[in-house]
Amino acid sequence: MTTASPTIDVADYILVGGGLQNALILLALAARKPAASILLLEREATLGGNHLWSFQARDVPDSAWEWMEPLVEYCWAGYQLNFAASSRWVAGAYRSLSSEHLAQIVAQTVENKTNIQIMTHAAVTRCDPQRVTLADGRIFQGRLIIDARGPDQNASRRGGGYQKFVGLECQLRQPITMNAPLLMDTRCPQYDGFRFHYVLPFAPDRVLIEDTYFSNNPTLDVDTISVNIIAEAGRLGLAVERVLRSEVGVLPMPALSTFHPRNEGVLHAGYAGGWFNPGTGYSLAAAVRLAEHLSTVALEDVYGKAWRQLVRKMRIQSHFLAFLNLMMFGLFHDKQRAKLMERFYLVSDDVIHRFFAMDSTALDMWKIMWVGAPWTPKGRSKRATAPQ
Ligand SMILES: Cc1cc2nc3c(=O)[nH]c(=O)nc-3n(C[C@H](O)[C@H](O)[C@H](O)COP(=O)(O)OP(=O)(O)OC[C@H]3O[C@@H](n4cnc5c(N)ncnc54)[C@H](O)[C@@H]3O)c2cc1C
């Protein structure tokens, strides 16, 4: 897969950064534009980093399943939420994939394709509209440069807070019968903002347990939290035998949208380009939409009418979600934040799925504001349905 020096003279697409966003773009282009020449440049030795990406029922539009299907590593029928005063089952596929799986699917896709080349250990220092410069001085020409170098490049601080977490993939001492994710269990000591446990059951004896905080600060004591996860696992009915893998995330949840795409030149994609959900810090849904766009329009139309429509739609969603962060991190603290989250999950499954997919309608937005508003009658929390 890795090439020391590409043989493509002028690539149609140069993808800078081999993380989630550009891997999705590569897969979509390979499916829809099999003759397009693509050069992907990744600084590290492998693609994808160290992540477990999860996504909800509507995050992937129907049209994208053609190329997204192989990426699904785990799939469950829905997920459970347990709050202090209520619980809730949300129906609709919940899916996950690991970085290793993503890298493997990309490798299979590009195998024997001379028009797609991947260079690892290729640190890019500069992206210009039609050329890319590497740290070692090499320059590559491309018709469209797509810069998706990840969250570190999105340095602008836009208020709000953070979704921060430590996740441990654990081997269990005794098998469990849990057959769906526990998206939120807030029945744990609350501190550092709003806190909850998140559990993904990969196999009867293997789970991911995450300790997550919606906090006003990015500080994360990874060692202490890791110890706490194992100590508190018993509360969730999990006996940890050993830790297989760990992941850490500090995802900005900005109070002002960072989504300001330009209509020319280098295309800033992925997290760095603001293509993420400010209300969750997750980016898969937005990344898929961008990949869909790029794979369905001609190179010369990348910034055409379809682009303007997509940007307009995403901008509205991004501003709405950032506004929710402004409210949550500015006005709701400690127990109020936990209550707010519980009330959010009073809305219907469809409204929840559209919220995650950045596809909320005006009515959805009104409903979300209504359940979150402090003046909403408290009795409404009884409407949460019982767990399955
Ligand atoms: C631990 C964790 C878990 C997450 N879980 C989810 C989830 O479940 N669902 C979800 O939707 N989102 C999730 N996110 C948020 C978001 O989806 C990820 O951050 C996602 O990886 C962002 O995709 P990206 O392509 O923009 O950036 P990245 O995936 O970070 O990719 C950027 C790539 O660019 C490379 N790079 C950086 N600088 C250079 C350079 N100078 N030259 C060449 N290459 C360079 C990096 O090595 C990296 O491979 C998670 C984030 C984290 C940190």
Side-chain angles (χ1 to χ4, degrees):
M1 182 168 78
T2 307
T3 53
S5 220
T7 51
I8 297 171
D9 285 340
V10 181
D12 292 328
Y13 301 86
I14 297 188
L15 311 181
V16 179
L20 179 68
Q21 174 69 85
N22 275 341
L24 296 181
I25 292 174
L26 184 146
L27 294 173
L29 288 173
R32 302 259 175 70
K33 298 186 177 189
S37 54
I38 305 168
L39 172 61
L40 185 147
L41 303 167
E42 165 57 42
R43 182 185 56 190
E44 305 298 330
T46 54
L47 305 188
N50 172 28
H51 298 284
L52 193 279
W53 292 291
S54 297
F55 53 105
Q56 306 227 5
R58 290 180 63 118
D59 288 9
V60 176
D62 290 346
S63 57
W65 279 112
E66 171 192 345
W67 54 271
M68 273 294 293
E69 193 77 59
L71 287 178
V72 178
E73 198 175 354
Y74 305 98
C75 182
W76 300 274
Y79 54 81
Q80 180 68 38
L81 300 122
N82 291 333
F83 300 106
S86 64
S87 50
R88 170 78 190 269
W89 169 260
V90 177
Y94 191 80
R95 302 176 173 96
S96 301
L97 73 143
S98 62
S99 298
E100 297 77 37
H101 186 70
L102 178 75
Q104 198 185 334
I105 297 298
V106 170
Q108 285 168 9
T109 303
V110 305
E111 208 174 13
N112 302 324
K113 290 203 173 69
T114 52
N115 59 318
I116 305 181
Q117 295 184 358
I118 294 178
M119 277 181 71
T120 50
H121 301 292
V124 170
T125 51
R126 191 182 161 112
C127 293
D128 291 304
Q130 293 196 320
R131 65 180 207 169
V132 164
T133 309
L134 265 58
D136 61 13
R138 278 180 293 173
I139 290 176
F140 299 120
Q141 310 280 340
R143 294 192 174 87
L144 179 67
I145 312 299
I146 301 171
D147 183 0
R149 280 179 278 178
D152 296 348
Q153 300 291 315
N154 192 342
S156 60
R157 178 78 182 95
R158 297 299 188 97
Y162 301 86
Q163 181 187 173
K164 56 185 188 182
F165 53 86
V166 176
L168 302 182
E169 192 173 326
C170 302
Q171 183 79 44
L172 300 178
R173 221 170 292 143
Q174 282 121 25
I176 51 164
T177 53
M178 186 177 179
N179 58 8
L182 180 55
L183 203 82
M184 271 186 187
D185 191 309
T186 71
R187 300 171 302 180
C188 49
Q190 291 292 324
Y191 47 83
D192 197 359
F194 165 61
R195 176 175 181 241
F196 63 92
H197 284 115
Y198 166 80
V199 182
L200 292 181
F202 298 131
D205 62 348
R206 189 167 56 87
V207 295
L208 175 80
I209 314 172
E210 265 181 22
D211 188 353
T212 304
Y213 302 78
F214 280 17
S215 171
N216 285 57
N217 72 75
T219 315
L220 202 57
D221 181 349
V222 177
D223 292 340
T224 304
I225 293 175
S226 301
V227 170
N228 286 348
I229 290 175
I230 294 169
E232 291 180 306
R235 185 185 71 78
L236 300 160
L238 308 167
V240 176
E241 171 78 28
R242 66 194 167 96
V243 175
L244 304 169
R245 185 186 74 87
S246 67
E247 67 177 34
V248 175
V250 180
L251 311 177
M253 296 174 72
L256 279 177
S257 169
T258 60
F259 184 71
H260 305 296
R262 289 184 304 176
N263 298 333
E264 58 181 3
V266 175
L267 196 157
H268 295 277
Y271 216 99
W275 291 85
F276 66 96
N277 183 327
T280 61
Y282 277 16
S283 75
L284 191 136
V288 170
R289 275 161 182 80
L290 180 56
E292 272 290 276
H293 170 73
L294 291 168
S295 65
T296 46
V297 297
L299 245 179
E300 53 279 14
D301 287 336
V302 161
Y303 293 122
K305 190 175 167 204
W307 169 260
R308 289 193 297 277
Q309 283 171 347
L310 175 65
V311 165
R312 196 176 313 121
K313 190 184 158 200
M314 296 298 283
R315 184 178 288 131
I316 292 169
Q317 300 291 322
S318 185
H319 279 287
F320 169 66
L321 292 155
F323 175 70
L324 294 182
N325 288 341
L326 179 73
M327 305 292 281
M328 178 167 77
F329 291 105
L331 300 178
F332 294 83
H333 298 282
D334 306 321
K335 283 185 179 155
Q336 291 169 314
R337 194 171 294 167
K339 186 75 190 161
L340 178 73
M341 293 308 300
E342 182 172 354
R343 288 156 78 89
F344 167 80
Y345 281 98
L346 295 175
V347 296
S348 69
D349 291 2
D350 283 344
V351 176
I352 292 169
H353 292 314
R354 286 194 290 267
F355 171 88
F356 281 100
M358 298 184 79
D359 204 15
S360 295
T361 63
L363 184 59
D364 292 347
M365 292 179 186
W366 182 85
K367 287 179 179 169
I368 291 167
M369 295 299 291
W370 170 255
V371 292
W375 52 85
T376 309
K378 292 195 166 38
R380 287 174 66 89
S381 67
K382 294 195 183 107
R383 291 180 59 182
T385 50
Q388 303 290 295

